[in-house]
Amino acid sequence: MKLRLFPQESAGLNLLAQMARQIVVATGTLSEILGAPASEHARLVEDMHNHEAKSAELHFALLTHMRTSFVNPLPREDMYALSRYLNEALEKLDAAAELVSLYKLERLSKRAADQLEIISRQAELTVEAMRKLDNLDDLEDYWIEILRLAKRAERTHRVWVADMLQEMKAMTYARHRDIANQLVDVTKDMRRIATQVGSIIVKES
């Protein structure tokens, strides 16, 4: 038997899925920034700010929905936690984009592209997972895969930092390390989302 929680109420889950989709879109914009000359950064960073603003708008829309809806598909504290982690992940992507522009960085390690690939995959999986939160039976694989990707991101981060320490002077290292830290922190936020989903699965099993 499929485990379903209030299948008649899906608006909240749709909002969570839209927030995850914003991360997919924002990751694409950040990839553009990393491949663009400094003269293009301002325009692309403005696009990123718009993605962050949209995420915040969806976050507040979900809060309003939870306050005004008699029936929610999940406990309010779980929906709030998922929404908060999604929004914080987007904020970190926005910060990474702004730092690239402020530091006028035109070339980053291929490790940055590796991290963005991981984030994009995490976000794509999360879009689908948010849509399925009223049917938890199929979400264990999501939980496990996000954790696997997060571990891969942490290994990539360690290698990236080690490479920078060997190859860069102190000031350059500090700037690139800021970007690296923002990106690995996004993967940690995505892991927090999956862990929250895991907690929901355990509570409702």
Side-chain angles (χ1 to χ4, degrees), residues 145-156:
E145 180 63 8
I146 293 292
L147 297 185
R148 186 191 70 80
L149 288 166
K151 290 178 182 178
R152 178 181 151 197
E154 289 178 8
R155 288 193 296 270
T156 298

Side-chain angles (χ1 to χ4, degrees), residues 3-95:
L3 175 61
R4 298 187 67 83
L5 302 176
F6 307 116
Q8 70 273 24
E9 179 52 78
S10 61
L13 304 187
N14 288 336
L15 287 167
L16 289 171
Q18 288 179 57
M19 291 183 72
R21 175 57 60 187
Q22 284 301 118
I23 296 173
V24 175
V25 174
T27 302
T29 300
L30 185 51
S31 295
E32 287 186 62
I33 292 171
L34 297 186
S39 60
E40 293 292 315
H41 286 171
R43 174 182 61 81
L44 292 168
V45 168
E46 186 61 31
D47 288 344
M48 186 65 82
H49 291 338
N50 290 335
H51 300 326
E52 192 277 330
K54 178 64 174 178
S55 176
E57 178 183 314
L58 291 166
H59 177 57
F60 291 122
L62 180 61
L63 298 184
T64 299
H65 173 75
M66 287 191 295
R67 288 197 306 271
T68 57
S69 177
F70 179 71
V71 175
N72 286 291
L74 296 170
R76 284 179 171 84
E77 60 270 24
D78 289 320
M79 293 185 68
Y80 173 75
L82 291 168
S83 181
R84 179 166 66 88
Y85 295 146
L86 286 163
N87 194 52
E88 288 175 358
L90 201 301
E91 288 174 348
K92 292 180 178 74
L93 284 171
D94 185 44

Side-chain angles (χ1 to χ4, degrees), residues 88-141:
E88 288 175 358
L90 201 301
E91 288 174 348
K92 292 180 178 74
L93 284 171
D94 185 44
E98 191 161 37
L99 287 170
V100 170
S101 179
L102 290 171
Y103 294 159
K104 296 180 172 58
L105 301 178
E106 293 194 0
R107 288 195 304 172
L108 274 81
S109 166
K110 68 180 183 66
R111 306 293 178 190
D114 292 341
Q115 295 293 60
L116 287 176
E117 179 185 349
I118 292 170
I119 293 167
S120 181
R121 182 59 182 153
Q122 286 179 317
E124 288 169 354
L125 290 170
T126 301
V127 172
E128 294 306 312
M130 295 301 98
R131 291 174 177 156
K132 296 177 180 178
L133 281 171
D134 62 347
N135 187 348
L136 300 175
D137 286 355
D138 299 326
L139 287 179
E140 280 193 34
D141 288 345

